[in-house]
Amino acid sequence: MVDSNFQILYSKDRIQERVEALAGEISDYYQHCNEPVVAVCVLKGAFIFFADLFRKLRVQPEIDFVRLASYGEKTYRDEKVVCEKDLEVSIKGKHVLVVEDIVDTGCTIDYFTRHLRERGPISVKVCALVQKRERSEIDVALNFSGFYLERGFVVGYGLDYAEKYRHLEDIWTMPE
Ligand code: 5GP
């Protein structure tokens, strides 16, 4: 299934505990909002996290999906993030919760939240399963974070390496 030099970083039980806690925080935050809430899943990596989180929320947002791609070296000045599949619902006058798998340099989420804010939402908040600290280039204000990771490349629970390992229930670190 995985190479013998992969190691479990977050077990499936630990992931579910964190997802439950995040769902609680997010529900508390949105439960008194009178306006609609749209939860946006950033494909592909966040799809399992999104499905688990969504089913544990005490609020019922609309859902939508986007696919972002980045090309070449990602730096703040040389931004090469493009939206390959855009939102289908309008977010004007609504609260938006973006659900990402990992925030690493912050370039992807910075680009995407700026793109969203041009469409007149009331608010844009970001929830990431994993927030890395190693290469952080942009001071992205994450509103809800599952785990903080100092370094390393992780797979499993929707996260891939070359389209492999998404099916794993735990999150693993790959050897460097
Ligand atoms: P950023 O623009 O924040 O540098 O990159 C975020 C994106 O890079 C994530 O959405 C994810 O697709 C990818 N990424 C960053 N670190 C990892 C990692 O450790 N594992 C996997 N599978 N993808 C990662």
Side-chain angles (χ1 to χ4, degrees), residues 16-33:
Q16 290 311 317
E17 270 171 34
R18 280 305 294 141
V19 172
E20 182 119 30
L22 280 175
E25 279 178 48
I26 292 168
S27 302
D28 289 347
Y29 183 80
Y30 287 112
Q31 69 182 348
H32 299 301
C33 289

Side-chain angles (χ1 to χ4, degrees), residues 42-45 70 74 81 100-110 130 132 135 140 149 152-156 158-161 166:
V42 181
L43 296 171
K44 301 178 191 174
S70 46
K74 282 182 291 179
V81 182
E100 243 299 24
D101 53 359
I102 298 191
V103 173
D104 183 9
T105 61
C107 291
T108 308
I109 208 67
D110 180 64
V130 178
K132 285 196 182 177
R135 299 199 307 148
V140 189
L149 179 62
F153 191 87
V154 292
V155 294
L159 300 162
D160 76 314
Y161 174 71
R166 292 193 197 275

Side-chain angles (χ1 to χ4, degrees), residues 2 6-10 15 45 101-104 129-132 134 147-166 168 170-176:
V2 294
F6 281 40
Q7 289 189 329
I8 290 184
L9 181 67
Y10 310 124
I15 296 168
D101 53 359
I102 298 191
V103 173
D104 183 9
L129 177 63
V130 178
Q131 182 173 5
K132 285 196 182 177
E134 192 182 5
F147 298 101
Y148 295 95
L149 179 62
E150 290 302 331
R151 53 177 296 134
F153 191 87
V154 292
V155 294
Y157 194 63
L159 300 162
D160 76 314
Y161 174 71
E163 292 300 327
K164 287 164 68 180
Y165 312 120
R166 292 193 197 275
L168 300 172
D170 308 293
I171 292 180
W172 299 68
T173 43
M174 288 180 63
E176 295 188 23

Side-chain angles (χ1 to χ4, degrees), residues 15-175:
I15 296 168
Q16 290 311 317
E17 270 171 34
R18 280 305 294 141
V19 172
E20 182 119 30
L22 280 175
E25 279 178 48
I26 292 168
S27 302
D28 289 347
Y29 183 80
Y30 287 112
Q31 69 182 348
H32 299 301
C33 289
N34 294 320
E35 305 84 4
V37 180
V38 183
V40 177
C41 173
V42 181
L43 296 171
K44 301 178 191 174
F47 81 110
I48 294 178
F49 172 47
F50 185 81
D52 283 349
L53 184 73
F54 181 73
R55 286 177 293 177
K56 291 186 162 79
L57 293 174
R58 283 179 277 106
V59 288
Q60 279 86 47
E62 254 181 280
I63 61 167
D64 207 346
F65 299 85
V66 293
R67 179 133 165 73
L68 306 174
S70 46
Y71 297 101
E73 283 299 306
K74 282 182 291 179
T75 68
Y76 189 47
R77 284 168 300 283
D78 188 19
E79 193 178 76
K80 290 181 181 130
V81 182
V82 294
C83 193
E84 291 199 330
K85 185 221 167 290
D86 209 339
L87 290 176
E88 291 171 18
V89 303
S90 165
I91 57 170
K92 195 172 168 51
K94 299 177 185 174
H95 298 279
V96 179
L97 174 69
V98 180
V99 180
E100 243 299 24
D101 53 359
I102 298 191
V103 173
D104 183 9
T105 61
C107 291
T108 308
I109 208 67
D110 180 64
Y111 161 83
F112 186 54
T113 51
R114 281 189 285 119
H115 174 77
L116 291 176
R117 286 194 179 97
E118 289 166 5
R119 298 177 178 192
I122 299 172
S123 70
V124 178
K125 303 288 173 197
V126 180
C127 171
L129 177 63
V130 178
Q131 182 173 5
K132 285 196 182 177
R133 298 181 194 269
E134 192 182 5
R135 299 199 307 148
S136 169
E137 286 181 20
I138 298 172
D139 198 13
V140 189
L142 285 187
N143 306 95
F144 308 97
S145 295
F147 298 101
Y148 295 95
L149 179 62
E150 290 302 331
R151 53 177 296 134
F153 191 87
V154 292
V155 294
Y157 194 63
L159 300 162
D160 76 314
Y161 174 71
E163 292 300 327
K164 287 164 68 180
Y165 312 120
R166 292 193 197 275
H167 64 289
L168 300 172
E169 289 185 290
D170 308 293
I171 292 180
W172 299 68
T173 43
M174 288 180 63

